[in-house]
Amino acid sequence: MKGVYFVTGIDTDIGKTIATGVIARRLMDDGVSVITQKLVQTGNATISDDIVKHRELMSVALMPDDLPNQDGVRLTMPLLLSYPASPHLASRLDGVAVDLDQIAACTDELAKRYQVVLLEGAGGVMVPLLDNEQNNGQGDVLTIDHIAAHDYPVIVVTSGRLGSINHTLLTLDILKNKGIIIHAIAYNLADDSQDTVIATDSKRYLQNYLHKYHPQTQWWEIPVVA
């Protein structure tokens, strides 16, 4: 792996943050220079809880690029919004603009310093970053638009909970229709205990679907993290 990989999920609370931290740790163990970044962090005012969790899973302290630089910008968490909601709503409530060019500049800077940047999104691929009004009447900007604009390959986090087959297939199909590379499915084992019958069949179904329609996409499993 080399470059920027966008980590998205099929739904809220599917385990993107855990998966991002676990994947980063695996890459570190393989000798890869890696850092994680949060596209937009909502629900936090001073520091990204998700980045802190990544570092915990990577067994490292906060990294230099997690700290404010001379301009007061944290490259790994360029935009913090206090209200736990979709970025377009959280930014409106805070009265702060979502500057996607500035966020992308932070991502590009990290990509110069590390072999791999794992860029964790907020929610799924259809989450709005800007609505039409915020985008000066130029239309809504969804997360998938930002991914496509920068040609980021994607890692999709899913699980075996009820409904995941539907949500996963919808996510895969819309990414494929946009011409976006799906690098891997990260199957989070954390939900398997909810219903082992459903989880076992969901895993079997998704693996078969991947083999048939996305043969180049890797299948990864994310262990249960205490």
Side-chain angles (χ1 to χ4, degrees):
M1 291 176 65
K2 183 173 175 56
V4 181
Y5 294 79
F6 196 95
V7 183
T8 190
I10 64 164
D11 201 357
T12 300
D13 292 331
I14 199 67
K16 288 193 311 298
T17 300
I18 297 295
T20 303
V22 168
I23 295 166
R25 177 55 193 255
R26 288 175 179 171
L27 290 168
M28 283 178 57
D29 290 344
D30 288 341
V32 176
S33 168
V34 58
I35 195 163
T36 65
Q37 185 190 34
K38 188 72 180 179
L39 179 72
V40 178
Q41 177 72 64
T42 65
N44 292 149
T46 57
I47 193 167
S48 165
D49 286 348
D50 290 352
I51 293 294
V52 172
K53 187 64 178 179
H54 295 165
R55 302 297 170 259
E56 176 186 328
L57 291 166
M58 295 164 71
S59 301
V60 299
L62 286 180
M63 301 169 74
D65 291 316
D66 297 329
L67 306 176
N69 60 20
Q70 67 275 14
D71 299 319
V73 176
R74 299 175 189 261
L75 291 179
T76 60
M77 48 189 109
L79 181 56
L80 301 171
L81 300 170
S82 63
Y83 198 79
S86 172
H88 82 289
L89 173 58
S91 62
R92 183 187 304 148
L93 293 173
D94 277 358
V96 176
V98 177
D99 186 341
L100 292 174
D101 290 337
Q102 190 261 346
I103 293 172
C106 291
T107 304
D108 291 345
E109 185 59 36
L110 291 173
K112 294 176 184 174
R113 303 179 184 185
Y114 301 85
Q115 290 173 279
V116 172
V117 179
L118 298 174
L119 173 54
E120 182 186 340
V125 294
M126 298 302 285
V127 165
L129 300 175
L130 299 168
D131 62 24
N132 185 55
E133 181 181 346
Q134 294 166 320
N135 197 29
N136 300 316
Q138 300 300 307
D140 295 351
V141 179
L142 308 177
T143 296
I144 196 169
D145 298 322
H146 186 72
I147 296 170
H150 297 279
D151 290 325
Y152 296 141
V154 171
I155 298 167
V156 178
V157 181
T158 186
S159 80
R161 71 188 187 194
L162 182 63
S164 70
I165 292 177
N166 176 65
H167 296 336
T168 305
L169 267 53
L170 287 172
T171 301
L172 294 178
D173 282 359
I174 195 166
L175 287 169
K176 185 176 183 178
N177 289 338
K178 283 275 191 177
I180 295 169
I181 295 172
I182 307 167
H183 182 75
I185 291 285
Y187 180 89
N188 185 3
L189 295 167
D191 290 337
D192 280 15
S193 60
Q194 292 180 13
D195 189 316
T196 57
V197 174
I198 291 175
T200 299
D201 186 70
S202 296
K203 183 176 175 181
R204 177 197 62 80
Y205 190 94
L206 292 174
Q207 287 179 318
N208 288 340
Y209 188 89
L210 212 62
H211 179 72
K212 186 174 182 180
Y213 296 106
H214 302 270
Q216 306 303 319
T217 300
Q218 299 181 49
W219 177 272
W220 297 341
E221 294 193 357
I222 305 299
V224 178
V225 174

